Amino acid sequence: MTYWLDLLTLVLILGAAASLIAYLSEEAGIIHVAGAAVMGVGAYTSVLAAMKLNVPVPLALASTILTGFICGVILHILTRRLTAAYLALVTLAVAIILHGIINNWVSVTEGPMGIPVRSLFSDRSLEIVLCLILAALVSVLIKSVTGTSFGLRVRALRDDELLSEDLLLEPQKTRFVLFTVSSCILSLLGGIYAHHLRFIDPSSFNIKESISLLAMGLVLPISLPIRGMAGALLFIFIPELIRFIGLPATIGAQLRQAIFGLLLLIVIWNGKLSITRFKEKVKSNA
Amino acid sequence: MGEVSMFLFSFQSTGSPIVINIVGDLFISILSLWALYALISTGFSLSFNIGRFFDLSLGVSFLTSGYTAYAFTKVSILPLPVNMLFGIIMAGLISTALGFLLIVPLTKRVGSLSLFVATLSLLYLAQAIIGILFGENANVLRPGSAPSIQFGQLHLTDIDAAQILVTTILLSLLLVFIHKSRRGRYVRAISDDPILSRQYGIPVSSTLLHCYIIAGFLAGAAGVFYAANRAIEPTQAMSILLAAMVATIIGGESVGGAILGALMLAFLETIFGFAVSGNWKTTVAFTALLCFLVLRRGGAITQINRRL
């Protein structure tokens, strides 16, 4: 039972992160490929504060918001005048650089050896409750912001940044808010993720994880606030369920990956990927 | 900084031949890395310009060729170049099948991001199948030290020499194909304006298929040389693909730009690998590239230009 609850906690944390990435992609046109890297910054901030400076865990977690804000400001400055593939590429470069720093700054982060981490609560069920609340808050935030004037400014930024500037909709300010708020939340989620895992190393925040996070946010054609959660469910539970088929231990991991890759292809082939529907919607509106 | 100190010490104590050797070694390393990145980044450039998507399935061709050559080396008595050729042919066949059965039909059904995720799925699938067939450990195509060739003061391995030569020939042929052939004119037209090209009757789908197959062959060539020069493992393709993707973008998306971008990336990685600890070289190189992407005005970078 604990095993399944652990998986559920992972789904809630990564699902909330994927929902944010999905919102940025679909509503703002920002393809954020540094999601896991920003989570990594939060994770290491919290862990280093808690384990090396002996700061209480809740305070250590609060400090992740500050480092998340700094990441958001840096991302905004770097991508200020960029769009589409170039913006995605800069976030990709940031992800590689952040991962490189985490991996190579051994005197501080212990590098690939990793760091054992103190858990947030002694009772695991409290962790799930916290993650459930956070995931719900992220979903509510995404749902409520979509209909507001800020949500409309975000769409204007996606559709025509120049026009939105001419209409005094302050697209740069909108981008700044998007990057800083999303980075603060991602960083906080990274902190919680680290305390949930009880051990962190750089491999949890590499570029592959960032791309998986993006894929989780794009893969299913359902409502934006819960899409990340459903994507995380698919990405985390399906490989685990395949584990129970009774595959040979030596090739089990590869077979799970193969089946997962195949399933993902089938989903895309059937045109069920959310971004496909989105494009169709835009075309029909036009 | 240890290598730099050693370099300076050698320079002071023994004079210029050592300097020439070190500069020569760096030059060969840059060219070897350029050849690897250029073969893949030009493939990226083709699919990005024609299909408007980042094609991670080039990693499938890369792995297929490397592991096919490895399998042939294990079971046959044929010489290494023949096995490498088999590897490249197999990569071409796989990319033909994937392009015909999956990628081209998908371009008619889904958008760029979905295609990106689809190619990522293909890469996952290929990594898993190769992991099952060959295991997760690194495999060496040719154990032991490679025979060395000398050009004046320059020393390079036979594989390095072949890789640089083959890459130069293949990329020259590709440039000739793009600038001199009818299909190449289609490629340039679709790259400039896909909608107008379609309206003028240019066969967009078959041009995409041609480009996908060419990109598969080029990635296959990169895969066999990588396996012969270093060691190949199933998870390795992703990092090389990402580097090549960056090279494509900093070069400005065109095929010529991708070749130049690959040279810039190879130069930065090699120089920083020499100046800083090996583990930091990728981070420092990507930081330099990030600065380039952010600071450079025009050319390789797309900016929002005022219409008035």
Side-chain angles (χ1 to χ4, degrees):
Chain A
M1 191 61 188
T2 317
Y3 169 72
W4 292 108
L5 288 179
D6 272 355
L7 285 184
L8 189 64
T9 314
L10 280 182
V11 167
L12 291 169
I13 296 170
L14 296 179
S19 290
L20 279 173
I21 303 284
Y23 177 80
L24 291 175
S25 306
E26 192 157 314
E27 293 287 308
I30 294 170
I31 309 297
H32 196 322
V33 199
V38 176
M39 283 180 76
V41 170
Y44 274 90
T45 304
S46 181
V47 168
L48 292 175
M51 304 307 291
K52 295 210 170 176
L53 304 176
N54 285 322
V55 173
V57 175
L59 208 59
L61 272 180
S63 68
T64 62
I65 295 174
L66 180 67
T67 48
F69 181 78
I70 294 167
C71 281
V73 172
I74 292 170
L75 278 168
H76 171 70
I77 292 168
L78 293 176
T79 60
R80 220 160 49 91
R81 307 297 296 175
L82 302 177
T83 55
Y86 294 92
L87 193 154
L89 186 81
V90 167
T91 62
L92 174 80
V94 168
I96 290 170
I97 292 165
L98 286 177
H99 179 256
I101 293 170
I102 291 171
N103 200 37
N104 296 317
W105 198 5
V106 179
S107 59
V108 175
T109 64
E110 309 287 339
M113 301 290 289
I115 308 174
V117 182
R118 215 165 46 228
S119 66
L120 189 53
F121 301 108
S122 53
D123 185 358
R124 295 291 253 185
S125 55
L126 285 176
E127 263 179 27
I128 296 180
V129 173
L130 175 73
C131 292
L132 201 61
I133 292 169
L134 255 176
L137 281 175
V138 169
S139 295
V140 169
L141 178 73
I142 291 171
K143 176 141 181 78
S144 55
V145 88
T146 311
T148 62
S149 64
F150 179 78
L152 295 176
R153 282 177 186 219
V154 172
R155 283 186 186 175
L157 166 73
R158 176 197 70 199
D159 293 340
D160 195 327
E161 187 167 344
L162 286 177
L163 183 64
S164 66
E165 202 170 308
D166 292 338
L167 295 173
L168 304 177
L169 295 175
E170 299 177 295
Q172 288 304 321
K173 203 170 155 186
T174 309
R175 264 194 193 213
F176 178 80
V177 173
L178 284 172
F179 270 120
T180 49
V181 172
S182 63
S183 296
C184 287
I185 299 172
L186 284 171
S187 184
L188 178 64
L189 288 168
I192 295 169
Y193 183 62
H195 290 285
H196 170 71
L197 292 179
R198 296 184 185 180
F199 178 83
I200 53 165
D201 68 351
S203 68
S204 305
F205 309 104
N206 60 19
I207 189 65
K208 194 178 160 193
E209 300 304 319
S210 286
I211 291 176
S212 293
L213 216 53
L214 182 66
M216 280 179 205
L218 297 177
V219 81
L220 291 169
I222 52 172
S223 166
L224 204 50
I226 55 163
R227 186 190 305 157
M229 220 62 72
L233 206 63
L234 186 78
F235 271 66
I236 293 169
F237 267 86
I238 291 205
E240 292 302 320
L241 286 174
I242 296 169
R243 191 192 288 270
F244 289 97
I245 296 173
L247 300 169
T250 48
I251 55 164
Q254 285 97 343
L255 268 179
R256 281 204 305 278
Q257 187 178 334
I259 294 169
F260 175 67
L262 208 57
L263 281 174
L264 204 55
L265 267 180
I266 292 167
V267 169
I268 297 165
W269 181 264
N270 287 330
K272 293 287 190 288
L273 201 70
S274 60
I275 206 82
T276 316
R277 292 273 180 91
F278 164 68
K279 298 267 182 201
E280 283 167 4
K281 200 167 72 184
V282 170
K283 271 184 195 166
S284 64
N285 287 344
Chain B
M1 294 299 285
E3 286 171 74
V4 175
S5 311
M6 275 177 62
F7 167 74
L8 292 173
F9 176 73
S10 310
F11 177 69
Q12 286 163 358
S13 59
T14 56
S16 59
I18 300 279
V19 179
I20 293 170
N21 281 346
I22 292 172
V23 172
D25 286 349
L26 280 177
F27 181 65
I28 296 299
S29 300
I30 290 169
L31 283 184
S32 175
L33 203 55
W34 163 77
L36 174 70
Y37 290 158
L39 285 170
I40 303 175
S41 62
T42 45
F44 264 130
S45 167
L46 285 173
S47 51
F48 189 76
N49 278 306
I50 305 297
R52 312 280 163 194
F53 67 102
F54 279 118
D55 180 14
L56 288 182
S57 68
L58 289 180
V60 179
S61 304
F62 180 86
L63 290 173
T64 304
S65 67
Y67 275 96
T68 304
Y70 171 73
F72 272 104
T73 308
K74 285 283 161 199
V75 299
S76 77
I77 52 163
L78 294 169
L80 183 67
V82 178
N83 295 332
M84 289 169 72
L85 191 63
F86 281 140
I88 297 173
I89 292 168
M90 181 59 90
L93 291 175
I94 292 278
S95 66
T96 306
L98 285 178
F100 189 72
L101 297 172
L102 194 73
I103 299 296
V104 173
L106 266 180
T107 53
K108 294 170 186 166
R109 298 162 70 105
V110 299
S112 307
L113 270 174
S114 305
L115 270 168
F116 171 74
V117 181
T119 58
L120 176 69
S121 316
L122 280 174
L123 182 59
Y124 276 168
L125 200 58
Q127 282 178 345
I129 292 169
I130 287 169
I132 291 166
L133 294 175
F134 297 95
E136 288 288 313
N137 296 331
N139 289 301
V140 185
L141 202 58
R142 184 173 59 177
S145 58
S148 176
I149 298 172
Q150 189 167 354
F151 286 110
Q153 294 287 334
L154 296 179
H155 295 269
L156 68 167
T157 64
D158 57 347
I159 294 292
D160 275 335
Q163 184 179 12
I164 294 163
L165 187 68
V166 169
T167 304
T168 309
I169 293 169
L170 286 178
L171 296 182
S172 305
L173 288 174
L174 180 66
L175 287 173
V176 169
F177 164 76
I178 288 172
H179 292 283
K180 299 290 177 193
S181 71
R182 192 174 60 172
R183 185 68 68 173
R185 209 165 57 242
Y186 292 168
V187 171
R188 282 182 287 141
I190 296 166
S191 161
D192 287 338
D193 195 328
I195 298 169
L196 195 61
S197 301
R198 204 181 286 275
Q199 284 170 348
Y200 269 87
I202 290 174
V204 175
S205 294
S206 73
T207 306
L208 173 64
L209 183 62
H210 277 83
C211 288
Y212 187 81
I213 294 167
I214 291 170
F217 270 109
L218 293 175
V224 287
F225 283 118
Y226 189 88
N229 225 350
R230 300 171 177 92
I232 192 162
E233 51 187 298
T235 52
Q236 220 153 28
M238 181 63 106
S239 56
I240 294 161
L241 287 176
L242 289 174
M245 196 191 285
V246 170
T248 309
I249 297 290
I250 60 167
E253 297 169 15
S254 68
V255 170
I259 296 170
L260 188 69
L263 187 63
M264 281 176 64
L265 185 61
F267 177 80
L268 287 171
E269 275 204 20
T270 310
I271 294 298
F272 286 127
F274 179 71
V276 298
S277 149
N279 294 334
W280 280 101
K281 70 172 183 180
T282 308
T283 311
V284 178
F286 271 87
T287 308
L289 287 171
L290 186 66
C291 294
F292 171 82
L293 273 172
V294 173
L295 296 177
R296 180 168 167 157
R297 296 281 179 262
I301 203 151
T302 294
Q303 293 178 75
I304 300 159
N305 296 315
R306 301 299 308 177
R307 282 179 292 227
L308 288 173

